[in-house]
Amino acid sequence: MSRTYPASLPCLCANLRRASRALTQRYDQALRPLDITITQFTILQALSLTGVVSQGRLAEILAMDSTTLTRTLAIMSKHGWILSEPGPDRRERRLSLSPAGRRKFQAVLPHWQRTQAQLRARLGPDRWGDLMNAINHVALAVTD
Amino acid sequence: MSRTYPASLPCLCANLRRASRALTQRYDQALRPLDITITQFTILQALSLTGVVSQGRLAEILAMDSTTLTRTLAIMSKHGWILSEPGPDRRERRLSLSPAGRRKFQAVLPHWQRTQAQLRARLGPDRWGDLMNAINHVALAVTD
DNA sequence: TCGAAATAGATGTATATACATCTCATTTGC
DNA sequence: GCAAATGAGATGTATATACATCTATTTCGA
């Protein structure tokens, strides 16, 4: 065990949560000057990939409770980044990026990219790829 | 991309956070009958491994802001699980498990173990080991 | 030695997260 | 066709998380 950091705890969840906190702090720090969090940027990115999508489906994609999304979308809507229209099924909200949301996404993109690139360089492309595979496999294994 | 779940987002942090949410939900669900969260159990486990430790050092071990720990420890202290005494340096708090904390940890341990074992079986021991390595490597790479 | 700088943790505030429960809309069984 | 069951999302509440700032203590430099 190093002075400042133990190699591992016995719990996979604890270790994953620790890595998640560390990474989140790093990304949030990089995005702070742009007044957006990695949580919010992730939603911009997801919407930019999916196009129009219901809140429930977006929650599924992010393995996030749909009611959590309600709160975060409220914050993002205050910034004018989100379009939310009732669908043909009028219980559901059909979400998409507003023009301001697209602009915001484009503005933040290079900062996000720089942060990813730094981390990728530090880990090496092999470890990076393995990591991406592994964590997505976990998410899958847990979800279904 | 499956119907209910996309293989991957382009952002490492987004994917790690997604896996973290999914895993946390799974562990929390398993521990719910015992009235404890995986966050709190992780602190019991960490204290059981370290013995007496300062709040700052514990925060370092968990890659968690020390002030975050203040809030979670307050909840755990209400349950009587935590001993907190001033150290020789009287700014710092020297934390350890109370007898009730040790009992709680022992009581929860088998439930945590069962959850881990299920997940490990599902992932396979190779993937499990790779995953543990990879995520701890990320935490290290980000932290120093 | 004494004042300045640094450090440990507490507190105020904002976001992130999920569950229980509620409302309203849709689907389903008869 | 209608009552019951289901489903989508909103709201109340509790925990998790971090940053800015504050207080109390310690350390450090002249």
Side-chain angles (χ1 to χ4, degrees):
Chain A
M1 188 190 286
S2 90
R3 174 68 193 87
T4 54
Y5 219 71
S8 188
L9 294 164
C11 179
L12 179 70
C13 187
N15 286 322
L16 197 71
R17 285 171 65 81
R18 178 172 68 175
S20 172
R21 282 190 297 271
L23 256 193
T24 300
Q25 281 168 50
R26 170 86 163 224
Y27 279 74
D28 273 347
Q29 182 192 359
L31 302 190
R32 197 161 308 132
L34 297 157
D35 272 309
I36 192 171
T37 63
I38 188 60
T39 301
Q40 293 164 18
F41 176 76
T42 296
I43 292 172
L44 292 186
Q45 189 164 51
L47 284 175
S48 136
L49 288 169
T50 60
V52 177
V53 70
S54 74
Q55 181 171 319
R57 174 72 186 121
L58 183 57
E60 241 174 36
I61 289 171
L62 299 172
M64 182 181 287
D65 191 280
S66 161
T67 72
T68 298
L69 219 38
T70 302
R71 318 301 168 122
T72 302
L73 287 170
I75 295 169
M76 297 177 73
S77 291
K78 276 195 306 198
H79 292 292
W81 298 338
I82 305 290
L83 276 182
S84 168
E85 300 185 312
D89 178 338
R90 274 174 323 183
R91 291 171 301 183
E92 82 181 17
R93 334 205 95 252
R94 299 175 70 68
L95 305 169
S96 55
L97 289 184
S98 69
R102 269 191 289 277
R103 282 197 299 277
K104 187 68 185 180
F105 176 59
Q106 289 301 323
V108 179
L109 200 48
H111 297 255
W112 165 76
Q113 244 154 5
R114 193 150 45 243
T115 307
Q116 286 247 118
Q118 274 170 12
L119 213 61
R120 195 165 188 281
R122 193 177 264 236
L123 288 172
D126 286 357
R127 203 184 290 273
W128 177 273
D130 292 350
L131 189 60
M132 278 282 202
N133 277 337
I135 62 185
N136 289 321
H137 206 276
V138 173
L140 264 173
V142 172
T143 303
D144 57 32
Chain B
M1 188 189 290
S2 91
R3 174 66 193 88
T4 55
Y5 218 72
S8 188
L9 294 164
C11 179
L12 178 70
C13 187
N15 287 323
L16 197 71
R17 287 170 64 82
R18 179 173 66 176
S20 171
R21 281 190 297 269
L23 257 193
T24 299
Q25 280 168 52
R26 170 87 162 221
Y27 279 74
D28 274 347
Q29 182 193 359
L31 303 190
R32 196 162 307 134
L34 296 157
D35 271 311
I36 192 170
T37 62
I38 188 60
T39 302
Q40 294 164 16
F41 176 77
T42 297
I43 292 173
L44 292 185
Q45 189 163 54
L47 284 176
S48 135
L49 288 170
T50 60
V52 177
V53 70
S54 74
Q55 180 171 320
R57 174 70 185 123
L58 182 58
E60 241 174 36
I61 290 170
L62 300 172
M64 182 181 288
D65 192 281
S66 160
T67 73
T68 298
L69 220 35
T70 300
R71 318 302 169 122
T72 302
L73 287 170
I75 295 169
M76 298 176 74
S77 292
K78 276 195 304 198
H79 292 292
W81 299 336
I82 304 290
L83 277 181
S84 168
E85 302 184 309
D89 178 339
R90 278 176 321 186
R91 287 170 304 184
E92 83 181 16
R93 332 205 98 251
R94 297 174 74 66
L95 305 170
S96 56
L97 289 185
S98 70
R102 268 191 290 277
R103 282 196 300 278
K104 187 68 183 179
F105 176 58
Q106 290 302 323
V108 179
L109 200 47
H111 297 255
W112 165 76
Q113 243 153 7
R114 194 152 43 246
T115 308
Q116 285 246 121
Q118 274 170 11
L119 213 61
R120 194 165 189 280
R122 192 176 265 236
L123 287 171
D126 286 357
R127 205 184 290 271
W128 178 274
D130 292 350
L131 188 59
M132 277 281 201
N133 276 337
I135 62 186
N136 289 319
H137 206 277
V138 173
L140 264 173
V142 171
T143 303
D144 57 33

